Amino acid sequence: MSFVVNGKTFSQQPRPGQCLRTFLRHLGWFGVKKGCDAGDCGACTVWLDGRPVHSCITPAFRAEGHEVTTIEGLGTPENPHPMQRQFRDAPGFQCGFCTAGMIMTAAALTDEQKQDLPHALKGNLCRCTGYRAVEDAINGVCAIEVAEPGAVIGTSVAAPAATGVVTGRAEYTMDTEPEGMLHLKVLHSPHAHARIVSVDKSAALAVPGVQRVYTWEDVPRKLFTTAVHTDHLVDPDDTYILDDVVRFVGQRVVAVLADSIAAAEEGCRRVVVEYEVLPAVFDPEQAMAFGAPQLHGSDDPFVQDPVHNILIELHGEIGDTTQGFAEADVVHEGTYFSPRVQHVHLETHGSIAWMDAGRLHVRTSSQSPWVAKGKLAHLFDLRPDQIRVFCERVGGGFGGKQEVLSEDLVALATLDTGRPTCLEYTREEEFTSATTRHPMKITVKLGARADGTLTAIQFRNISNTGAYGNHGGETLFAGGSAVAAYRCPNKKFDGYVVYTNTLPSGGLRGYGMTQPVFAMESAMHELAVALGMDPLELRRRNIVRPGDALLSIDDEADDVAFTEDGLGTCIDRVDAALRAHPDGQALGPDWSIGVGTAASIHETAPPTEHISVGLATLGDDGFYEIAVGTVEFGEGTSTAHVQIAAAELGTTPARIRLVQSDTDRTGFDTGAFASAGLFVAGNAVARSAAALRDRILRFASAHTGAALESCAMDDDAVRCGDTRVPLADLAVAARSRGARLTESRKAYGSPRSLSCNAHGFRIAVHRVTGEIRILYSVQAIDAGVVINPEQVRGQIEGGVVQGVGFVLTEHHLMTDGVVTNPTLRNYRIPTYADAPRTEVILVGSTDSAGPVRAKGIAESCVNPVAPALANAVQDATGIRYRELPLTPDRIFPALRTSRLTSTG
C-alpha cells in the first residue's frame, strides 16, 4: 500500500485493524499524540486531504491514496504555519501535549466556524490552559513580549520549548522507538481483595512473540512506596512490584513482555490465575470498625493501627474548644464530602528502559526523576552510578506523576533481558490502576460571637487512602492549612487516613488542601448566613494577619513567614470585582442568581525536606548553560528558571540554554510538586547564576586589570570601565588558564512563604432543571513578584477550569471497588464549552523567600474554586449541597422538593 504523509510517499502495509495514529507514529511522525485511543481528546488530530480527523479511530488503510498531514507537515520551526505562530505567540499552551491536535483542528477552521468555538473545538480537550489561551491563539492575540537584557522579570517571554511544541518537534516521553524494543502489558486484578493461589503461564508463553511472564515470584520481594518524596519515611513501605495479595480491582497481577503490544495483550488474556477471594471493605468508616477485613499486616511500623486499617491519625487541640463553643452565640456544624477525582493529564504514564555500556537508562513521564532513580536502586540492588533516569517534556502531571508506577516494571524487564522495554498506560488504566485525589469526609464545627469573631473550630477528617498509603499522611497534614487560615483561640483537629479496598489515592493539584478548603470555606459561608453577615466580611474579621502564627494541629512554631496582608487584599479585590460586574438578571425569571466566595492559603513548599541543586556555566561560545533537575510538565518552571538566570546574569533568555530533569546531567532535585519547582529549584537557579555572575566579574577584573567595582554584566559581554569584553573571549581565556567559569548552589524548602488567594463566582441556577451557568468568575492571588504574567495567568485559568470540573462534571464512579466510567467520554473533564473566562487579579507582594521574591501558585489556584461555586449555588437556591460533584442528578431532586414545599 502507498501512503503520502507530509508530502512524502511511504510503501507500507498496516497491520490488520491498525489505526492511523499508531501507523503514523511507526513511520516517525511522533507529533501525533495518544491521549485516549477512543476519539475523545483530539490529541491525535491529523488532516486527511485537508480535513481534520481523529487518527486513533481512523483505520490506517483508509489513508491509502489520500494526503495525510501531521503537525510536522503543517510548518517547520524555520517557517511555521500562521496558526502555529499564533499558538506560540499567544501562548496557547502549557504542557503542550494537546497542542498539535488543537492546532490541526484550529488551522482548518473557517471564519464562520471560528464564531462558534464551543462547537468547533468540541473534539479537542485540554487539561492545562483553561481554553482562554487557546481562544486567544485562534483569534491571533499576541501576548508574548521581548525582554531587554537583565530586565526580564515581569515580562511575558516565550517558553524555551515554544517553537518545538507548536511544530511537533518537542519530544515527549513516548516519542521514540529504540531498535528491538519490547512491550509490557499488565494483567489487572478482577477482585477487590484476594490471595493469588497459583498462576499458569504456559498458555501465555505459547503466544508468538511473548518473551516473559512475570509474577510476584519473579520480582524482588522488597517493600517500597510509590510516592515520591525526598524523605521516604513520610510514606509507608506497603507495596511490592507484584504481590501475591491484591487489594483493589485493577491492581497489577502479572506483567507480560512481548515483541508487540498485541502479543503482550494476548498473553495477558491467556494467563490463568487462581484466586482465593477475601472479604473486602470500601468505606473508610466501615474499615475502621471492629471486625472489618484487615488489609495490611504489621510489617511497617509506620502503619499506626493495622487492625483497624488506620494508616495514620493526627490529633491536636489548641486552647479549649468545649469552652469556645460555650462562649459562642451561633454554632454551625456540617459534614462535607469531596469524592475521588482523577488527574487526567493527557499524556498517560509511561516509561522506556534500555541498557547502554552496562548502565540502566530509564526515560519516563515523572515529576521526579531523581527520587525515581533512588527507588530503582533500592528495588534492584543497583549502585546510583549504574542508573540514569531522565525526562523529556512531560505531558501534564498535576501530582499524578509524583509516583513510581511504570519505571519499576520496565527496569525489571530490561535488566532481565538486556533489551529495550516500553510500558505505556492506556486511558482506561489511568482510571482503574493509577491514583486519584483522596476522597475525604470532613465534619466542621464552628462557633462565633454575634459580631462574627470565631470562638472555636473543630475539624474531623476521614481520608480514604485506598489500598495503599502513598501520600496518605502528607495530604492529611497539609489539610491543616484550611484551619490555619483563621485566627481562633480554640481549635481541635482529628484526622484519620484509612485503608480500603479501592483504587490507591495520591497527590493531586492542591495536595490535601482542596478537600479541607471545600469543607472549611463552605462552613464559613453557612456560618455567615446564620449570623446574617456578608461571608467576605466574616472572613475579613477572622483571617490570619502578618505576625500571626499558622496554627491548626498544635501551637509549635513553623518555618512559614509572611509580612504582608496578601489574603486580606485578595478578599478585598474579589469583593470589588463582584460588585463592579453586572448581575446577569437578563437570563429571565426561570433563573436564580447567586454569588459565592471562598479564600485559601498555601505554603510555597512541602513541609518535609525538599532540595534542589543548580549549576550555572559559561560556555566557550559565550552562552550560558543552566542545569537543574526540575521537570517541565506545563507548570512553566523552565520559562521561570530561564528568566531568573537571565535576570541574575544581566542578559536575555535567548542566551540561556537550559538542561533539566536528567540525573546524568543535573544535580539532585526532589521534584516538581507543591510549587517547589519555582520556589526551591528557582532559588537554586538564582543562587548559582548569581555566584557565576560574581565569578565572571572577578575573572574579568583580573583579565583586564580593571577595578572590580568598574565591571558590570552587559548582555553578551562584561563592561570593565571603557572596555567591553565578549563573554566568549572570557570563557576561552579562562579555559586557557585551566579554569572554568561555573558555579553550583543548593536550595532548600525552608523558610517557606505564604501565597494567598480568593475566588468569586456569580452564577445562575435554573429553577426547574437545576442547570448551572457561570456568569462571572474572578480570582485574586498573591503571587509575590510575578516573573511571567501571562504564564501565571494561564496557570490560574487552567486551575480554575480544573476546579470547575471537579465541582460540576467529574465523578470517578465506583461500585464495590469497580470503576464504572473509565473513559474520558464518561468521566467528562471540561471542554471549551464548559470553561468560564476568569478575571485574574495579580496581587503583588514582596514578602517571599522565593527567587526574586516570587511565589508558586500552580497548586493554590484550584483550592477556593469548589467552595466558592458551592456557596454560589446555596446563595442562588437557598439549598446547601455538601457533597460534590454538583451534577444535575443531585441538584434537581432537592430543587424539586424545595419547590413542592414552597408551593404546598
Side-chain angles (χ1 to χ4, degrees), residues 173 226-230 343-345 347 349-351 363-373 389-407 435 471 506-511 610-611 628-635 637 660-663 668-677 681 802 858-859:
T173 309
T226 62
V228 164
H229 292 108
T230 298
H343 309 76
V344 197
H345 33 73
E347 179 197 50
H349 285 86
S351 300
R363 170 170 163 156
T364 185
S365 181
S366 171
Q367 291 176 230
S368 180
W370 273 99
V371 178
K373 172 180 174 175
V389 178
F390 70 102
C391 303
E392 298 294 346
R393 192 172 179 89
V394 173
F398 312 114
K401 295 173 180 174
Q402 195 185 339
E403 309 275 352
V404 171
L405 296 182
S406 57
E407 296 88 348
T435 62
H471 299 282
L508 202 162
R509 192 179 203 168
Y511 199 79
H610 204 106
I611 307 169
V628 65
T630 297
V631 179
E632 174 62 61
F633 54 94
E635 79 283 29
T637 54
Q660 59 188 149
S661 56
D662 187 331
T663 62
F668 181 86
D669 187 279
T670 298
F673 51 85
S675 295
Q802 198 168 35
E859 295 271 349

Side-chain angles (χ1 to χ4, degrees), residues 672-692:
F673 51 85
S675 295
L678 173 72
F679 192 81
V680 183
N683 266 332
V685 168
R687 292 170 189 174
S688 58
L692 176 61

